[in-house]
Every structure is written in C-alpha cells, then in structure tokens.
Amino acid sequence: IMTSFGCPERITTALSSFYKQLKRAFRYGESMGVFFQSTTSILQGCALSQHLINAGGTAWARAVESGADVPVKGFIDDKGMKSRKRAEVQKACDISAEFHRDVGEKLNVGKAGGCSCWATTRKAQKPEDAFTMEGIPMEWATEEVVLGVEHQYVRGKNRKKQETRGLNALAATERL
C-alpha cells in the first residue's frame, strides 16, 4: 500500500525486513515477558506501527470519499465519517462495508466499542432511522453534533492474511 501511495521501495523493503526479524516482549514496570515473533507487523507501542496502519486507513478514506459526499476522519485504526446529508452517510457506510469485506477485514458492527452512529438531537435518533453497516443497524451515540458513523474492525493475527489484506485494500481503493 505504501509503495503505491509513493513511499520509496527501499523504505518499504527496509520496514519489511525490520519487522520480519523483530522479537518483541511485553513489559510491565520492572517485569519483562517472554520474547515472541509478531505475526501482524502492527503492535501497540511500536513507533512505526501507526504509519503502517495509516496506509490502510488512507486507502479506506480514498475509497469512501471517492464514492460519497462525506468527509472522513481517522486516527490509527479508528475511522469516522460525518455529514448533514443522511443519504450520503449511508452511502459511505455501504462503501466502507464493501471496502472492508473486499480487504478481508471483519467489521465490529452492533457491539460496544464497534460501530455507532449519531445525530444532533435525540429526536433524530429513532431506532428505525439508524444507519446500517452490512445490513446491521448501529446503535445511536450522543457525543457528536452531526450525522455520522464510527467503525472499527476486528484485527487478525496472521501475517499472510495481513499481506493479502494490503493487496485487497489497494484493489478495493481502485475499484471503488
């Protein structure tokens, strides 16, 4: 993904080599856990992980913004989109669900901490008017001021799946 967005191949090759050799361990205070080989290349606490995961977020943002009149936002693996146009937000939800399905990511719809939608007023928060992701209605949240959606996906732990998801993200971005 990073190469297709213009990152020099020598940097992506160096990153790939670095992560393939890297041994990690969890540390809590003075205690150190057993060293292990990461299978995903993304791990909390790694300074480079946020840049790598943002590449996937950029692919998602380009796909959504190219098909719906909805500005998107994101921070690491949290993604959001909002607008005053209800139909455009739902269109963005549909594009987003298709993107994640094509990439091979499983959306966390209908669970606490997963997808949620919001509206400016409680009056607008009718259950039948909730946005849907993959056909599943999302619960209303109240902390935002315009219509929108926040969603996350369930992370996998298989390096080969992660590489496949990266290639699928590029293909989905181009197609959508």
Side-chain angles (χ1 to χ4, degrees), residues 47-153:
L48 295 173
S49 289
Q50 63 186 1
H51 300 292
L52 299 174
I53 203 162
N54 279 339
T58 299
W60 166 82
R62 288 182 180 184
V64 171
E65 287 184 333
S66 71
D69 185 21
V70 174
V72 300
K73 64 176 184 167
F75 180 73
I76 311 299
D77 62 345
D78 296 328
K79 301 169 187 166
M81 48 210 166
K82 59 185 175 182
S83 172
R84 296 184 185 277
K85 303 172 187 171
R86 180 177 292 274
E88 289 299 312
V89 173
Q90 185 58 58
K91 186 191 294 186
C93 288
D94 296 339
I95 293 168
S96 186
E98 184 177 355
F99 176 87
H100 288 292
R101 186 175 49 250
D102 289 354
V103 170
E105 296 170 339
K106 181 175 176 18
L107 283 167
N108 188 9
V109 183
K111 296 183 179 176
C115 302
S116 62
C117 54
W118 62 86
T120 306
T121 65
R122 290 195 187 275
K123 184 178 178 182
Q125 296 179 1
K126 300 174 190 166
E128 64 272 13
D129 290 337
F131 297 106
T132 62
M133 191 75 78
E134 295 182 334
I136 301 169
M138 291 178 272
E139 293 186 18
W140 286 103
T142 58
E143 62 272 357
E144 293 287 342
V145 294
V146 294
L147 298 172
V149 171
E150 294 282 346
H151 66 285
Q152 302 162 344
Y153 62 92

Side-chain angles (χ1 to χ4, degrees), residues 12 15-16 23 43 45 48 52 59 63 103-104 135-136 151 154 164 166 176:
T12 58
L15 281 170
S16 179
K23 298 284 186 194
L43 189 67
L48 295 173
L52 299 174
V103 170
I136 301 169
H151 66 285
V154 178
T164 301
L176 295 171

